[in-house]
Amino acid sequence: HRGTAGLVSWAPLQPQVLYDIEQCVRRFAEAVAAGGGSGFAEFSEIWRTLRPGRLLGMRERCGRISAVDETDAQWVELLLRAVARHMQPRVNAAFEARVGGLFLCYSLHVAQPCDPPAAVPIAEVDWPALELLAQELREARHADGFAALHALRDGGHFRPVKCHAGWAADGEAFASALDEASAMARRSGEAAAERGSCGAQIEQLLPQLSSLEASYSAAWSEAVAATGSSHVRSSAGQLCGALRATRE
């Protein structure tokens, strides 16, 4: 770990890891906002879809070069630090998102392979936000959230630190990774919106195709009855089949 000005003394997380963390928290918050349950069971369903081992196993993925002599505990602490951010109002104003951050922090802490388990580093300036979250959980009578927070706090799994970044370059590197993760989330959202727009256009066309198919089928029947032509029957049948295939 070198502290020379301009150098990074530790390796920040990859943007892909930060993006996965953000997506897990966001999906839970959106599910709750849509009327879904806000308990740990509902969060666990989302956690399982992201494959719990994915985050813990990404240490050597995405081209990350670990810091010199980085231990498993130091790697897990980096993950827990990134997740703990999502319990802060300055990161997530919505209560549901901060509960999602709490559940993810608890799940990751329980799933980690370290023995003894690595603690969740909490900067001195972030402690008031945890007290605020505890108060909100009490007022909302959120039993699962309150239990998760107390399991971490009363179990001594929060580790107070004065600050996270000891060197300016460390903070800049972490901020750069966060910016790239946000850009990935933005691109993902734009792609989803574009797919949704195309789907809406197709949905609007379906009634018109159904109407066209019905009108042509009626005209076909009248033409066949009037002429008895097998050529009309064959051509019209092919066209109706094509319309039906397009609609489906």
Side-chain angles (χ1 to χ4, degrees):
H1 301 279
R2 293 171 293 178
T4 305
L7 295 180
V8 177
S9 59
W10 52 269
L13 294 172
Q14 310 96 311
Q16 178 63 51
V17 178
L18 298 172
Y19 171 78
D20 284 352
I21 291 171
E22 182 178 329
Q23 290 301 296
C24 185
V25 173
R26 181 185 61 82
R27 289 181 191 177
F28 176 74
E30 289 179 347
V32 175
S38 62
F40 187 72
E42 288 77 14
F43 172 83
S44 296
E45 290 298 319
I46 297 173
W47 166 246
R48 279 192 287 270
T49 63
L50 291 179
R51 301 186 302 278
R54 176 181 171 84
L55 286 175
L56 291 167
M58 289 187 77
R59 183 176 182 180
E60 308 302 335
R61 298 177 192 169
C62 305
R64 180 176 184 269
I65 301 175
S66 301
V68 177
D69 298 327
E70 180 181 75
T71 66
D72 289 343
Q74 288 171 329
W75 159 248
V76 172
E77 278 200 8
L78 277 178
L79 287 175
L80 292 171
R81 169 194 166 184
V83 173
R85 291 179 64 254
H86 290 276
M87 294 189 284
Q88 306 296 324
R90 58 183 170 81
V91 176
N92 289 313
F95 171 67
E96 295 82 4
R98 284 181 285 128
V99 173
L102 169 62
F103 283 156
L104 180 55
C105 191
Y106 174 78
S107 299
L108 196 61
H109 183 270
V110 171
Q112 66 171 296
C114 302
D115 185 19
V120 184
I122 303 293
E124 188 176 83
V125 296
D126 294 334
W127 276 101
L130 290 182
E131 295 299 329
L132 173 63
L133 180 58
Q135 179 181 340
E136 290 176 308
L137 290 167
R138 276 194 299 269
E139 292 174 353
R141 297 183 179 276
H142 199 299
D144 287 359
F146 203 69
L149 182 60
H150 273 269
L152 291 171
R153 188 173 63 180
D154 296 349
H157 301 305
F158 285 141
R159 182 171 65 84
V161 295
K162 291 295 291 183
C163 62
H164 284 306
W167 301 91
D170 291 341
E172 292 168 3
F174 188 62
S176 176
L178 285 174
D179 288 343
E180 179 57 28
S182 297
M184 293 172 66
R186 185 169 59 254
R187 290 193 296 269
S188 176
E190 291 171 353
E194 184 175 347
R195 290 195 299 271
S197 176
C198 292
Q201 293 177 18
I202 292 173
E203 289 292 336
Q204 292 175 359
L205 288 174
L206 285 177
Q208 299 176 31
L209 286 171
S210 296
S211 177
L212 179 60
E213 180 187 345
S215 299
Y216 199 89
S217 294
W220 170 31
S221 299
E222 293 177 2
V224 171
T227 64
S229 171
S230 61
H231 175 71
V232 171
R233 183 186 302 274
S234 176
S235 299
Q238 291 175 4
L239 180 56
C240 283
L243 286 172
R244 188 175 300 106
T246 301
R247 176 167 56 82
E248 293 173 352

